[in-house]
Amino acid sequence: MRETVRGWVGEARHIAVLTGAGMSAESGVPTFRDAQTGLWAQFNPQDLATETAFRAHPQRVWDWYAHRREMIAGLQPNAGHVALAAFTVRHPGRLTLITQNVDGLHQRAGSDDTLALHGNLAEDRWLDMPRACCQAETIETGHPPRCPVCGNLRRPAVVWFGEHLPAAALEAAELAARNCELMLVVGTSGEVYPAAGLALTAHQCGARVVIVNPEATPLDGVAELCLREPAALCLPWLLA
Ligand code: BJW
């Protein structure tokens, strides 16, 4: 099966790759739906990743993100991230990389043009519309940091449930899904939309869809092949 997919990689004029948390598993990043450990074991990530949760428990949600930032800062891109970045250098313009991950590991591996659909864990932004008093220079440190004048809070620059994805990135991802001849769907549970819908779009528009995931997913039905392998092992071989 791997040989077949490698042949498709060789033939396709345009390849789209959609990645999720499993892409970073071999770097040591827990997947989003993995059970959490330690202090955070009692919380469900789906209940923390919302604006409602942040407004209700700003310190708890801020500290969860601070914990994840710290952990990710000490980790490195894996062989799968590196293989994708190297492919785009060897084949400029042939591959569009779309990620749901907020860990920045694709970018750190050298994939500068990654379409990051769910934002970036390393960055913050204002929770509410900033007023004149909300200035970067005067931010008061805290959990979370705040504007000392109006109390507006800083929040992680990620996309929570119920929030719109960055329009330009989503539009570019949809275009790639419509135009690609091959889509690799790597390390995602395929449960979160609109990202998961990109695989359906690619299939409807005639692309071959290949899933790289050790487990079954709801997107398997549109896939020509499912490679039940870890991303860091499979991608370097497929893209060599
Ligand atoms: C390996 C591996 C290895 C392990 N190798 N694989 C249509 C239908 C139903 C619902 C909706 C819909 N359209 C929209 C919705 C609502 C909602 C949604 O999708 N809900 C579902 C849960 C039902 N979507 C939204 O709210 C989105 N916004 C939106 O639609 O706006 C429009 C709108 C707004 C307002 C009004 C009206 C319209 C926003 C979604 C934002 C998602 N954000 C998060 C959090 C980011 C910040 C953070 O990290 O804290 O993004 S949620 C979380 O899920 C995170 C992830 O990017 C995302 C996807 O998870 P992923 O990557 O798939 O991870 P896992 O853990 O689920 O899976 C890992 C996989 O890896 C598994 O399959 C493993 O087997 C595999 N794996 N090791 C390869 N080594």
Side-chain angles (χ1 to χ4, degrees):
M1 281 206 293
R2 264 178 159 208
E3 295 286 354
T4 307
V5 179
R6 191 144 87 160
W8 293 345
V9 168
E11 283 166 16
R13 273 172 300 180
H14 184 224
I15 302 169
V17 180
L18 171 66
T19 68
M23 178 77 227
S24 298
E26 277 93 21
S27 291
V29 184
T31 65
F32 195 79
R33 282 160 186 81
D34 267 350
Q36 302 200 85
T37 53
L39 205 60
W40 299 103
Q42 57 184 309
F43 298 108
N44 178 348
Q46 296 207 56
D47 297 334
L48 293 170
T50 69
E51 185 184 327
T52 309
F54 186 74
R55 287 189 187 276
H57 304 286
Q59 171 155 7
R60 176 191 298 166
V61 176
W62 180 265
D63 285 350
W64 181 54
Y65 280 96
H67 156 79
R68 291 171 58 199
R69 275 179 184 166
E70 208 173 295
M71 176 187 60
I72 286 162
L75 301 176
Q76 298 303 323
N78 64 48
H81 296 108
V82 172
L84 283 163
F87 188 92
T88 54
V89 170
R90 288 199 311 276
H91 305 277
R94 245 185 94 201
L95 186 147
T96 302
L97 179 55
I98 308 161
T99 192
Q100 299 168 81
N101 297 345
V102 297
D103 57 30
L105 290 176
H106 282 304
Q107 295 85 340
R108 278 169 56 193
S111 293
D112 297 333
D113 295 332
T114 305
L115 300 171
L117 296 182
H118 293 165
N120 183 342
L121 184 63
E123 291 170 11
D124 299 340
R125 64 179 176 83
W126 293 107
L127 176 62
D128 292 315
M129 186 73 82
R131 301 184 181 88
C133 56
C134 300
Q135 297 294 329
E137 308 80 55
T138 56
I139 293 172
E140 197 172 87
T141 50
H143 301 244
R146 62 179 63 230
C147 170
V149 179
C150 70
N152 196 0
L153 300 177
R154 299 292 289 176
R155 55 158 282 182
V158 297
V159 181
W160 283 329
F161 287 115
E163 294 183 327
H164 288 286
L165 278 64
L170 181 59
E171 213 170 287
E174 282 168 345
L175 187 68
R178 285 197 298 274
N179 292 337
C180 67
E181 292 177 354
L182 173 67
M183 178 179 273
L184 305 179
V185 179
V186 184
T188 178
S189 57
E191 287 180 13
V192 175
Y193 283 78
L198 295 168
L200 309 182
T201 301
H203 173 68
Q204 279 157 10
C205 293
R208 287 179 169 128
V209 175
V210 172
I211 310 262
V212 178
N213 195 317
E215 306 292 334
T217 81
L219 298 175
D220 292 2
V222 298
E224 294 222 7
L225 282 176
C226 296
L227 301 177
R228 301 267 177 245
E229 298 182 46
L233 204 72
C234 188
L235 288 179
W237 194 89
L238 285 186
L239 301 173

